[in-house]
Amino acid sequence: MKKFTSFSLMAIAASVATIGFAHTASAAVEQETVFILNSLSFLLHGFLVMWMAAGFAMLEAGLVRTKNTAMQCTKNIAIYSIAGLLYWVIGYNLMYSGVDGGYFGSISPWSAADAQVTADGFVFNADEAGYSASSDWFFQMVFVATAASIVSGTLAERIKLWPFLIFTIVLTGVLYPIQGSWSWGGGWLSEAGFLDFAGSTIVHSVGGWAALAGAIILGARRGKFNKDGSVNPMPGSNLALATLGTFVLWLGWFGFNGGSQLAMGSAADIVAIAKIYVNTNIAAAAGVVVAIALTAVMYKKVDLTMALNGALGGLVSITAEPLAPSVGMAVFVGAVGGVLVVFAVPILDKLKIDDVVGAIPVHLVCGIWGTIAVALSNSDATFSAQIIGIVAVGVFMLVTSSVVWFVLKTVVGLRPSEEDEDMGLDRAELGLEAYPEFGRGSQTF
């Protein structure tokens, strides 16, 4: 047997120590890289979702009449700002802090609890998340603003600014976080097996239910419906702007669904995100094609506004499960969304529910369909759990929203005067016009 000298033993010990240090350093670098990529995913995808606020503003500004355009722009920038503040003050912790199978989290402002980054490098503890806390908060916050934007479009042209903003405070600070805690926050719906990948129910139908309650309590625009039930069309002022808004929303949806993978630190995550992008895109495309074909058959002319909402209907439909479906299944899910939009719009008219931009068919009806469709492609989902989630969120949002709308109607009033509504909310509420060349501002005295 070969004997080792003291020098050789020291050399071996040094080599082992070097190898161990290198392994530890390599693991730390790998962990830090994953942390960076996951945080970057939240931030980049969050930027895209934030851009959806611009999409909603352009879509709504294009689908209302010129006399109400500035009002819609004002509401949308206010929505995004209020959502950000309220989600910091109360919303995030109410949704995610200490839910543990219950019905809501803690009532406290959010503050970041990050892994330590020191001058000596990255220090990561096993009980800490693999991403920046602030990046997660930002990504979750932009979703809240989306839900509130849905309400804005439905109730356009006949609601006063301040009551709407008060409702937005309640929705973004309390109602949305509470129902979100039931599933995404690890609450009772999560334990019941309810699945909603990116928010067909948790985001889109929530806005849809709130919009439906508001539309019923607020009533229709003056002159929209005749006594015999017939409908007077009120065309939007700028379909080019509405089309651009739809494309912006379509772009933002890649962040909405892709970012909901919640990780980008591995090859498997990148493959998943790429598949989500493909399914998201093709579902929207199917919704457009079906809406174009159906309106051509039903009305003998293609309706651009239906095509735009067909795209959005396909996007909402695939949002509950954009990862599991095959491409063919994604086409089917999006196509059904396009069909639902085309048929739901005239049904609302028959019920005398005035939805200016078609948000209820897109976000509520297609949100319900998309949530049910999860069980068609995800083996972990069941129809019973999906329906329980739909009903629970629907009842909660319809009841609570109705209460808030009714209180606002009673205490401060929701509608402007008939004179103000006829004049337009731009001048009545804001004292300005989006298109002064075509309104009062074009007159010379």
Side-chain angles (χ1 to χ4, degrees), residues 319-384:
T319 292
E321 184 48 86
L323 177 59
S326 64
V327 175
M329 177 59 74
V331 170
F332 172 73
V333 171
V336 173
V339 171
L340 291 173
V341 166
V342 172
F343 284 102
V345 169
I347 290 174
L348 286 181
D349 284 340
K350 290 182 179 179
L351 295 173
K352 294 187 177 181
I353 296 174
D354 188 7
D355 181 354
V356 177
V357 303
I360 294 171
V362 167
H363 298 279
L364 177 54
V365 176
C366 291
I368 291 172
W369 153 242
T371 306
I372 293 173
V374 174
L376 299 177
S377 61
N378 189 329
S379 59
D380 293 330
T382 64
F383 286 109
S384 59

Side-chain angles (χ1 to χ4, degrees), residues 235-401:
S237 61
N238 193 332
L239 294 186
L241 188 61
T243 303
L244 180 59
T246 301
F247 273 116
V248 171
L249 286 168
W250 194 329
L251 174 65
W253 232 285
F254 295 121
F256 205 94
N257 289 356
S260 293
Q261 175 65 14
L262 304 182
M264 198 173 70
S266 69
D269 289 322
I270 292 297
V271 169
I273 291 171
K275 184 178 181 182
I276 289 168
Y277 286 176
V278 170
N279 283 343
T280 298
N281 191 69
I282 207 160
V288 172
V289 171
V290 167
I292 287 175
L294 275 177
T295 54
V297 171
M298 294 170 62
Y299 306 118
K300 310 305 178 186
K301 293 182 185 294
V302 174
D303 187 327
L304 172 59
T305 61
M306 285 290 195
L308 300 180
N309 278 334
L312 300 178
L315 288 164
V316 171
S317 298
I318 199 65
T319 292
E321 184 48 86
L323 177 59
S326 64
V327 175
M329 177 59 74
V331 170
F332 172 73
V333 171
V336 173
V339 171
L340 291 173
V341 166
V342 172
F343 284 102
V345 169
I347 290 174
L348 286 181
D349 284 340
K350 290 182 179 179
L351 295 173
K352 294 187 177 181
I353 296 174
D354 188 7
D355 181 354
V356 177
V357 303
I360 294 171
V362 167
H363 298 279
L364 177 54
V365 176
C366 291
I368 291 172
W369 153 242
T371 306
I372 293 173
V374 174
L376 299 177
S377 61
N378 189 329
S379 59
D380 293 330
T382 64
F383 286 109
S384 59
Q386 296 305 101
I387 291 171
I388 288 172
I390 291 167
V391 172
V393 172
V395 170
F396 173 77
M397 286 305 306
L398 195 59
V399 171
T400 55
S401 296

Side-chain angles (χ1 to χ4, degrees), residues 39 41-43 45-47 49-50 80 83-84 86-88 91-93 95-97 110 131-148 172 176-177 179-181 183-185 196-199 202-203 255-256 259-263:
S39 302
S41 177
F42 279 139
L43 293 173
H45 286 112
F47 298 160
V49 180
M50 183 272 177
Y80 182 78
L86 267 295
Y87 207 58
W88 163 63
Y92 184 92
N93 281 347
M95 188 166 174
Y96 287 109
S97 177
W110 170 85
Y131 48 81
S132 161
S134 295
S135 70
D136 173 56
W137 179 88
F138 175 72
F139 183 71
Q140 300 296 338
M141 180 276 294
V142 290
F143 276 58
V144 190
T146 298
T172 58
Y176 174 91
Q179 62 81 33
S181 74
S183 45
W184 287 352
D196 189 354
F197 190 93
I202 297 167
V203 179
F256 205 94
S260 293
Q261 175 65 14
L262 304 182

